Amino acid sequence: MLSILLPTDFSQNSENAITYALEVFKNETCKFHFLHCYPPAIFSYEYQIERGLIGKNIHKTLKEESKEKLYEFALSLMRKHGNKKEFDVEVVPGFLPDRVAKIVTNIKIDLIVMGTKGETDSERLVFGSNTIQVINKRCCPVIAVPDDYRFNGIDHILFPTDLNLEFKNYHLGPLLQILKLHSGTIDVLHISLLGLSSMQREHKKYLEDQFLNFKAEFNILEETNITEIIFDYQKNNETDLLVMINNKHMFFENLFFKPIISKIAMHLQTPFMVIPA
């Protein structure tokens, strides 16, 4: 059974991401784990008086209130989307990226689905700092869902790769699961000026074998500007999900931190799945 972590700060962006997860995995056996993190804080005397917290364990009280709010939030969304799957809620102090890494290990999370931005992130930002940090923890596959994205099936998946990684089953597991659920087409996009080395041909053959039972297309483009090609490919070809493998030794790291990523992400209309190598 899949275990899916759904972080939320109760923002519209996080609610939209949760809605996406509930729709994508509606027909999959899974358990949803709703998570809310709050930073440790020191409360003024005036605030304690206003909230009637004098003489009480403030953090315990606020945690209980937040957990009740989170439960109602989760239950409402589950009912709204007709989802009767098992779920639980957790409210913890601390910063989201650190807590997520621990939770992934403790309860064996298979996938994280979260919004690209949180409640306080500027509209000018590509991805919120929490999203970036969770992705860079590289502890679990992450799907980042853009603002206002509405799920309408997953018919076309774009999978750019430099074919330098020796793929393992755990790299492709989440991707194959989505392909099975939605019977979509996967476009494997390789960008290079040098053609394929013998090693890359082996890796391509492995992918072909893994995608044998699905509709898969392999495209090799002779270009140098990876980010521009991905942007243009998405613009000219229907894409419901962009998938990349985050290997710090390969092109993804350069792609993600070069300024030009802003151009792609600001126009990115589809969810972005990042799988750690």
Side-chain angles (χ1 to χ4, degrees):
M1 181 169 68
L2 271 180
S3 289
I4 301 174
L5 184 66
L6 305 174
T8 179
D9 56 2
F10 303 109
S11 66
Q12 184 59 49
N13 186 248
S14 69
E15 180 176 336
N16 189 56
I18 291 169
T19 296
Y20 176 85
L22 297 183
E23 291 295 331
V24 170
F25 297 100
K26 180 177 286 187
N27 298 317
E28 177 62 87
T29 302
C30 58
K31 181 176 181 179
F32 295 111
H33 303 269
F34 291 78
L35 172 68
H36 175 64
C37 292
Y38 61 92
I42 298 174
F43 301 98
S44 68
Y45 185 72
E46 290 77 10
Y47 178 85
Q48 295 179 54
I49 293 177
E50 180 184 337
R51 294 292 307 276
L53 297 173
I54 298 295
K56 298 181 179 179
N57 184 323
I58 299 175
H59 288 281
K60 181 180 178 181
T61 300
L62 294 180
K63 181 176 180 178
E64 290 172 352
E65 289 178 357
S66 295
K67 192 165 187 176
E68 182 177 347
K69 178 182 178 180
L70 181 59
Y71 179 80
E72 293 298 327
F73 174 81
L75 184 61
S76 174
L77 284 175
M78 297 289 282
R79 286 175 173 172
K80 181 179 178 179
H81 296 280
N83 201 312
K84 299 181 180 179
K85 291 182 173 54
E86 186 180 356
F87 76 94
D88 61 26
V89 299
E90 185 68 36
V91 174
V92 293
F95 298 99
L96 182 67
D98 296 328
R99 299 303 307 213
V100 162
K102 292 179 180 178
I103 288 171
V104 165
T105 300
N106 291 342
I107 61 177
K108 297 182 180 179
I109 294 295
D110 298 298
L111 176 69
I112 301 166
V113 182
M114 61 191 300
T116 52
K117 295 184 290 187
E119 187 174 39
T120 59
D121 286 313
S122 167
E123 292 181 358
R124 293 174 296 176
L125 292 178
V126 175
F127 293 104
S129 59
N130 277 336
T131 310
I132 288 284
Q133 290 181 59
V134 169
I135 287 173
N136 286 333
K137 289 290 184 182
R138 299 171 64 217
C139 58
C140 183
V142 177
I143 298 180
V145 184
D147 283 324
D148 302 323
Y149 183 82
R150 295 291 177 266
F151 176 77
N152 191 29
I154 301 179
D155 298 321
H156 298 276
I157 298 173
L158 177 59
F159 180 36
T161 172
D162 57 12
L163 293 174
N164 286 322
L165 176 67
E166 185 180 357
F167 298 103
K168 303 294 184 183
N169 290 339
Y170 65 85
H171 291 137
L172 301 178
L175 177 54
L176 292 172
Q177 203 142 21
I178 289 176
L179 280 169
K180 289 176 184 176
L181 278 173
H182 299 280
S183 303
T185 297
I186 181 163
D187 292 329
V188 181
L189 183 63
H190 175 68
I191 305 164
S192 173
L193 283 176
L194 303 175
L196 297 182
S197 67
S198 58
M199 178 190 70
Q200 288 172 318
R201 284 194 292 271
E202 288 180 11
H203 296 166
K204 180 174 179 286
K205 178 62 168 60
Y206 177 83
L207 289 180
E208 288 172 341
D209 292 341
Q210 292 297 304
F211 298 142
L212 189 61
N213 296 322
F214 305 101
K215 292 175 284 185
E217 297 180 6
F218 287 78
N219 299 284
I220 299 176
L221 301 179
E222 294 185 355
E223 297 286 347
T224 56
N225 194 323
I226 295 168
T227 54
E228 289 285 358
I229 289 300
I230 292 173
F231 171 68
D232 289 341
Y233 194 93
Q234 284 190 290
K235 187 169 65 172
N236 298 322
N237 298 271
E238 184 179 354
T239 303
D240 301 307
L241 180 65
L242 172 63
V243 179
M244 290 185 175
I245 294 181
N246 184 2
N247 187 328
K248 65 180 180 179
H249 300 299
M250 296 176 194
F251 80 80
F252 181 87
E253 185 178 53
N254 290 330
L255 166 68
F256 210 77
F257 289 103
K258 281 186 176 179
I260 200 168
I261 187 63
S262 298
K263 180 178 178 182
I264 292 178
M266 290 301 285
H267 294 85
L268 190 64
Q269 301 297 316
T270 61
F272 186 19
M273 183 180 197
V274 184
I275 302 171

